[in-house]
Amino acid sequence: SATVVGVFLMVLTISCEAVRTQSRIVRASARMSSLPSVDEVKAADFRRAVAFAPSVCAALEDDDPDVEPVLTAMLGSSDGIRGFFVQYLTDAELQKPDSDEQPRALLNAMEHAPEPVLAELMVMNVVMPIATSLLHVRNGDVAMAESSRLTARRATAIVSATRPTAALTDLRCVLAACDKSAGNAAASVGDPVPVERLEFWKQFCEKWQYDEVQRDLIADVAGALIDAWGA
């Protein structure tokens, strides 16, 4: 319902503000504190993963050679993936996410992550802030709109840099769910689009009640990523 979507957007806004505020407080101490251990991040639920993320991101910023095995372990689960990217994609003061090349430690860690889980979350990290940014614009919240666009840009850059096969499949399904004619054309290239994944993204868009303009924006980005893939 509209009420559910409104509550979600309110929570998302508060969460983004909380992450930014916490990151400013934690950043200095994170650089001085030791990284969590591999065993700690393996055992972490989502909340613990979010708590570990600032020190992991700080280590990436500093090119800490010890960060790769920790990050590899962190990206081994859905909770770890979500917890890490909540910080990495939203903290405006981080520089590595906006560099021309993603940190090698991150790229290596992502190669060992469970691809279907990682790909789905990566594509969600592109789709959701694109849709949310438009809602913020409509509400006159320029700062939050830019924050959502930053998240979408960073997520798009990571998808472009890593190009997991499962993400390409999901992008084709997103395109089909948001733009029927373009989606049918994209789905006809290469491997057929799995019906269950197409249905998943259709239901996803319906769940969050994305309107035609939001779907058009999402389709534009998905189509551009697919074209850049050469698929």
Side-chain angles (χ1 to χ4, degrees):
S1 68
T3 300
V4 172
V5 174
V7 170
F8 167 75
L9 292 173
M10 180 178 68
V11 171
L12 179 62
T13 299
I14 293 172
S15 297
C16 289
E17 282 297 329
V19 167
R20 284 195 294 272
T21 300
Q22 181 186 31
S23 68
R24 294 188 187 100
I25 296 172
V26 171
R27 189 172 289 105
S29 60
R31 281 193 160 86
M32 294 185 291
S33 66
S34 60
L35 282 166
S37 70
V38 168
D39 288 340
E40 285 176 320
V41 296
K42 279 184 177 180
D45 59 12
F46 174 65
R47 294 185 67 177
R48 288 291 289 163
V50 170
F52 288 143
S55 62
V56 175
C57 288
L60 280 174
E61 290 284 287
D62 294 339
D63 296 318
D64 187 332
D66 295 327
V67 72
E68 186 173 326
V70 175
L71 187 53
T72 299
M74 193 172 192
L75 300 188
S77 70
S78 174
D79 283 343
I81 293 169
R82 291 188 298 123
F84 170 74
F85 282 114
V86 161
Q87 183 77 20
Y88 191 74
L89 298 179
T90 65
D91 186 348
E93 295 187 30
L94 294 175
Q95 297 181 9
K96 293 291 188 182
D98 302 314
S99 60
D100 291 338
E101 294 184 2
Q102 295 297 317
R104 175 47 53 186
L106 173 58
L107 297 179
N108 289 345
M110 291 179 70
E111 289 181 0
H112 297 284
E115 183 173 325
V117 177
L118 177 65
E120 180 179 296
L121 292 173
M122 288 169 65
V123 175
M124 283 185 183
N125 284 336
V126 173
V127 169
M128 297 188 77
I130 290 172
T132 304
S133 67
L134 182 58
L135 287 179
H136 288 314
V137 169
R138 290 170 176 171
N139 292 332
D141 194 334
V142 176
M144 286 306 300
E146 179 51 38
S147 178
S148 292
R149 284 192 289 265
L150 174 67
T151 301
R153 285 196 302 271
R154 287 175 168 182
T156 299
I158 291 173
V159 172
S160 297
T162 55
R163 298 187 175 189
T165 301
L168 176 58
T169 298
D170 274 355
L171 285 169
R172 284 190 175 129
C173 292
V174 167
L175 185 57
C178 293
D179 183 340
K180 185 175 181 180
S181 60
N184 289 338
S188 67
V189 181
D191 296 333
V193 172
V195 174
E196 67 274 14
R197 296 308 298 164
L198 177 58
E199 188 61 27
F200 171 87
W201 287 107
K202 284 181 177 179
Q203 292 179 5
F204 182 88
C205 292
E206 291 170 1
K207 174 183 177 180
W208 297 115
Q209 298 183 351
Y210 294 156
D211 62 28
E212 184 177 353
V213 178
Q214 288 172 306
R215 293 184 187 222
D216 285 345
L217 287 173
I218 292 167
D220 286 344
V221 174
L225 282 168
I226 292 169
D227 288 344
W229 222 297

